[in-house]
Amino acid sequence: LVVSHDRHFLENCNNRIIELSSLYPEGTLQVQGSYSEFLEARELFLSGQMQEEERLANKARREIEWLRRGPKARATKAKYRIDEAHKLTGDLAEVKARNRSIASVQIDFEATGRRTKKLLEAVGLSKSYGDVPLFTDLNIVLSPGTRLGLLGRNGCGKSTLMQIIAGASGNAQILPDAGTVKTADNIKIVTFDQNRASIDPAITLRRALAPEGDAVMYCGRSLHVASWAKKFLFRPDQLETPVGQLSGGEQARILIAALMRQPADILLLDEPTNDLDIASLDVLESSLIEFPGALILVTHDRFLLDRVCDRLLGFGGRSGVTYFADYQQWLADLEQWLAAAWRD
């Protein structure tokens, strides 16, 4: 039995996938097959649930109209129908409750609308720590619609490269040893912090979601904090809860909410999927695909990389740090390097 949010891993578990959720009458949905087959079965079930609600609602409406008729009319009917009508309204309430819990995190990153063809250009970037080179003579061009994924083992330099790029808009904390980074005027670069360093565990959820009051500005309009919280599956009674008492997944959603409040030309996402449940992962994936700006993504979720990124920059293989078309191409290069190192 393996518990995992890694959808690529689940895709290759060709045995049985079980999802535990209040969506399902028995509390679980069990599918024999791959993750893709599970998604198809879940979509079919959810579609059927909505149709079942509509069917029960129509039937309940007719029965309720019958119950509201005068006693004389009802007396001619069998008692079983009265009992059946009450049972029907109960069944409808249960299906409605399950369908309402289908709501998923509403993630939609806001772009600045900039039409510049070239947002950022890095030329000849090199960085080492001591005698260990992380990358050498690296070139990167980011334009609207760029979807670049970074691949490599922990400590290979992915986060360092992200920090160098993040610093190109000002307040650089890490500089390259060599090379230059040029950006369009007034570029807006927004970064997701995988370490959650930007979350104060002592403040309330209300203040974390709406730092400046009881409302947030999003896409040019004001939203009350309770409505904003609902977009991320938080209940109104959670608003006064200290952030430190929330789960890892809930804290991750707070960070994503903060990202959404910031119009961006370039999104730098360093492990944004940590602690997110599958429903949130699906919505995050769709939102990243639709984001019109440039994106650099570091994630262990290979399913997300394959779906979102059209180009990968791989670290640590036979070819050093270079570009690859997909994950499998980088993996083959890494395996060749490891095999050669083993022979030597």
Side-chain angles (χ1 to χ4, degrees), residues 21-22 39 44 51 101 124 127 151 168 187 190 195-196 214 218 230 239 242 254 257 260 264 290 312 324 338 342-343:
S21 173
S22 59
L39 289 180
L44 184 62
Q51 293 174 9
S101 64
K127 184 67 178 178
L151 284 170
I187 195 79
V190 176
N195 297 318
R196 296 179 173 80
D214 285 334
Y218 176 63
K230 186 177 180 181
L239 288 175
I254 292 172
M260 286 178 57
E290 295 170 2
L312 300 177
F324 297 90
L338 291 173
W342 179 261
R343 288 194 300 270

Side-chain angles (χ1 to χ4, degrees), residues 127-134:
K127 184 67 178 178
S128 299
Y129 278 112
D131 297 330
V132 180
L134 297 178

